[in-house]
Amino acid sequence: MTTPMLGINGQLYIGGEWQEAASGERRKVIAPATAKRIADIAWATTADADRAVAQAKEASRNGSWADRPGRERSRILLKVSQLIRERAEELAQAESADVGKPIFFTRMIDVPTAAEQFEYFAALAQTLDGSVRNTPLEAFAFTRREPVGVVAALTPFNFPLILSSSKLAPALAAGNTIVHKPAEDTPLSAILLAQIFEDAGLPKGVYNLITGAGAELGEYLVQHPDVSLVALTGSTAVGKKVSAMAGELLKPVVTELGGNAAHIVFADADVNVAVGAIINAFVFNTGQFCMAGPRLLVERPLLDTLVGILSGAVGNVPIGRPSDPNTVIGPLVSEKQLRRVEAFVEKARAQGGRVVAGGERHDLDGGYYYKPTIIVGLPNEAEAVQEEVFGPVLTVQPFDTEEEAIALANSTRYGLAAGIQTTNIARAHRVAAKLDAGIVWVNGWSLLDPAVPFGGVKSSGAGRESGPEALLGYTRTKSVVIATPAPRA
Ligand code: NAD
């Protein structure tokens, strides 16, 4: 059945065939901007997951993908990238409707970034080499980089297309086969991506897509004996669960988990640059991004001025329908997420926080909108400071010394990203080196590229996406040692 609105069939894609779930069940996909149904999708069970893993295993065992020359895999991935660009508007519309992302951003960021991921890893597919090892053995020793086999890719709701691409592109480039389970709330772009893989000539069974209940299918895939590696982007809570289950089986896991980045503004910062970066860091994607910067740390002499500028400025950031090209802030993804953000703000008020901007819903079309919110005066232990709110909420705390800024920045359990605003280059280097974070931005925010590794420390996960590191993460090293003894006399 095709959903006319978005041209999405809503079926599973297993072994190169489009199909309904074995149970025949389908569920609604809801638009965050209107709380109305925009599509429906097949609701897979573990029987479907089983078939998907079997197809992925078959495709990896037959060597149809892993044994192809890297250059051939590269050509198909380049074709994927080209088809993403050709179907850019369709993908941008689907992602915007499904996630509630402003269409301006899905056109400018989500779709081009996905295409770039495939372009970049298409190039790297040709570079997977081992190396010769210099040893005193009477032997020739070298290493091979091999794919791990079947990868289970579990992706989150907030950047479905980009985060699917940032897993699938390196995993496929390295020669793996895949079972992909996107987030329950936002599965639509994965269905379009599966169509693109098919059209690009990816062999049957190399990529398999199942949509359905996250915990049921996710846990089943993690524990499936034929899944060799789990790649999860999601919350720290799910990351812990998945890592524990995989640990029992000694199965490798690549985790990209929650974040709660500090954004440190020194008094010597260029205030115009800082204001742009601060707002971007907490309102982009309605604050629903792992590398958001919701914890603003300001050197005390600049505190009042900066809070004054920010609380005036956020009121001017256009909040509205995702389909409006002028919209910068769209709705949150679901009613659950909206209630969660509200609860954090209410608790912050109860803990002595003063809301100087926002702090309430924005009523429009019955959608899940929340105004950009700034809270001052919270103690560092407050939940809104320590936990990942995942909404357009900024907390502000003062500091007096560089050491204090670093200590506050490192005081949560997360360690994904961090930012520094300063015009003092020596300070930028000093502080960047001391921050517990996988990526540090100086005088900017969200500066990302498929070539730049991205990932966390502490409770933000283990593993890296983007860059050669991501490709290597989907491979294992085999050593081959060939005895070369001298002939006996
Ligand atoms: P989530 O943890 O709820 O879900 C992530 C994926 O895991 C989904 O596909 C979901 O269906 C699946 N899942 C859910 N329960 C599972 C279980 N018990 N076993 C196996 N799989 C399960 O995350 P979300 O709400 O979709 O996404 C938001 C979270 O993701 C935030 O914490 C955010 O910071 C994080 N995130 C991290 C990065 C990063 O690169 N570090 C990027 C984006 C989002």
Side-chain angles (χ1 to χ4, degrees):
M1 182 173 86
T2 297
T3 305
M5 190 175 166
L6 295 165
I8 287 170
N9 59 21
Q11 291 182 319
L12 312 178
Y13 183 66
I14 298 177
E17 307 291 333
W18 291 97
Q19 49 196 269
E20 292 299 324
S23 66
E25 188 179 353
R26 284 190 154 238
R27 296 241 178 133
K28 285 189 274 192
V29 177
I30 300 293
T34 58
K36 300 219 167 82
R37 168 188 170 275
I38 43 166
D40 52 30
I41 52 161
W43 201 250
T45 63
T46 53
D48 302 298
D50 245 347
R51 285 186 299 116
V53 174
Q55 290 291 333
K57 186 178 174 189
E58 188 62 20
S60 94
R61 194 194 271 150
N62 284 344
S64 60
W65 185 241
D67 291 349
R68 288 190 182 203
R71 202 158 292 171
E72 226 176 294
R73 291 200 299 272
S74 173
R75 268 186 228 120
I76 292 182
L77 295 182
L78 264 186
K79 181 78 184 164
V80 169
S81 154
Q82 184 195 330
L83 291 175
I84 289 174
R85 291 189 198 285
E86 280 174 21
R87 295 179 65 177
E89 184 57 22
E90 190 187 350
L91 281 160
Q93 293 285 353
E95 195 79 330
S96 172
D98 196 15
V99 193
K101 286 169 182 281
I103 189 73
F104 174 78
F105 291 118
T106 58
R107 284 178 180 145
M108 292 292 296
I109 295 178
D110 297 74
V111 176
T113 303
E116 283 164 14
Q117 289 278 357
F118 282 98
E119 250 159 25
Y120 178 77
F121 285 104
L124 287 200
Q126 306 185 34
T127 67
L128 262 184
D129 276 332
S131 60
V132 176
R133 298 303 160 100
N134 190 351
T135 76
L137 299 170
E138 278 194 336
F140 179 71
F142 68 100
T143 60
R144 290 167 49 84
R145 279 281 178 181
E146 298 181 347
V148 296
V150 177
V151 170
L154 309 174
T155 50
F157 79 78
N158 61 337
F159 285 88
L161 183 59
I162 293 181
L163 295 172
S164 297
S165 303
S166 63
K167 290 196 183 326
L168 304 179
L172 290 171
N176 299 285
T177 62
I178 291 169
V179 178
H180 180 198
K181 198 215 63 62
E184 289 164 38
D185 286 336
T186 58
L188 299 188
S189 58
I191 297 172
L192 294 176
L193 206 48
Q195 293 174 3
I196 286 173
F197 286 139
E198 186 177 31
D199 293 346
L202 196 69
K204 287 182 191 313
V206 172
Y207 172 81
N208 304 275
L209 171 68
I210 52 172
T211 48
E216 183 192 350
L217 297 178
E219 291 181 19
Y220 189 76
L221 289 174
V222 173
Q223 297 180 88
H224 199 295
D226 291 331
V227 168
S228 308
L229 180 145
V230 178
L232 166 76
T233 299
S235 59
T236 293
V238 169
K240 275 187 180 171
K241 213 170 192 178
V242 164
S243 300
M245 274 188 296
E248 273 297 309
L249 302 165
L250 300 175
K251 188 176 287 192
V253 192
V254 178
T255 46
E256 301 287 341
L257 307 178
N260 187 10
H263 201 164
I264 306 172
V265 184
F266 288 97
D268 63 23
D270 177 326
V271 174
N272 284 332
V273 170
V275 166
I278 294 163
I279 292 178
N280 169 23
F282 93 96
V283 307
F284 178 59
N285 217 42
T286 320
Q288 301 166 115
F289 65 129
C290 52
M291 74 272 191
R295 287 192 296 135
L296 186 65
L297 308 177
V298 187
E299 197 168 3
R300 203 175 296 273
L302 190 58
L303 182 70
D304 291 342
T305 311
L306 192 57
V307 170
I309 296 173
L310 287 170
S311 44
V314 291
N316 297 326
V317 182
I319 178 167
R321 297 183 178 97
S323 55
D324 179 342
N326 296 315
T327 292
V328 172
I329 305 179
L332 291 154
V333 75
S334 62
E335 187 170 1
K336 184 173 153 213
Q337 194 62 24
L338 175 62
R339 287 184 191 281
R340 188 169 177 275
V341 171
E342 271 182 331
F344 268 112
V345 174
E346 285 324 304
K347 188 133 200 203
R349 282 193 169 106
Q351 289 175 323
R354 194 160 56 83
V355 175
V356 295
E360 59 185 3
R361 291 185 182 203
H362 175 82
D363 287 329
L364 180 66
D365 299 339
Y368 311 128
Y369 294 90
Y370 199 80
K371 291 184 181 166
T373 298
I374 301 177
I375 309 174
V376 299
L378 277 174
N380 194 43
E381 311 72 60
E383 279 87 339
V385 178
Q386 288 295 318
E387 286 309 320
E388 185 184 41
V389 175
F390 231 52
V393 178
L394 183 75
T395 64
V396 189
Q397 293 171 278
F399 68 85
D400 292 301
T401 64
E402 200 172 293
E403 293 68 32
E404 191 191 357
I406 293 165
L408 281 170
N410 290 343
S411 71
T412 77
R413 63 185 172 132
Y414 298 102
L416 191 59
I420 306 166
Q421 300 290 330
T422 180
T423 49
N424 179 333
I425 188 72
R427 169 178 273 159
H429 278 285
R430 263 195 322 269
V431 177
K434 297 278 180 208
L435 292 173
D436 294 340
I439 190 163
V440 177
W441 290 295
V442 178
N443 299 333
W445 200 271
S446 296
L447 297 161
L448 295 169
D449 186 85
V452 178
F454 182 80
V457 299
K458 303 198 293 192
S459 295
S460 291
R464 291 292 177 268
E465 291 202 325
S466 296
E469 288 82 354
L471 185 75
L472 297 182
Y474 290 104
T475 66
R476 55 190 173 205
T477 302
K478 180 183 282 171
S479 299
V480 182
V481 185
I482 302 172
T484 56
R488 297 221 174 112

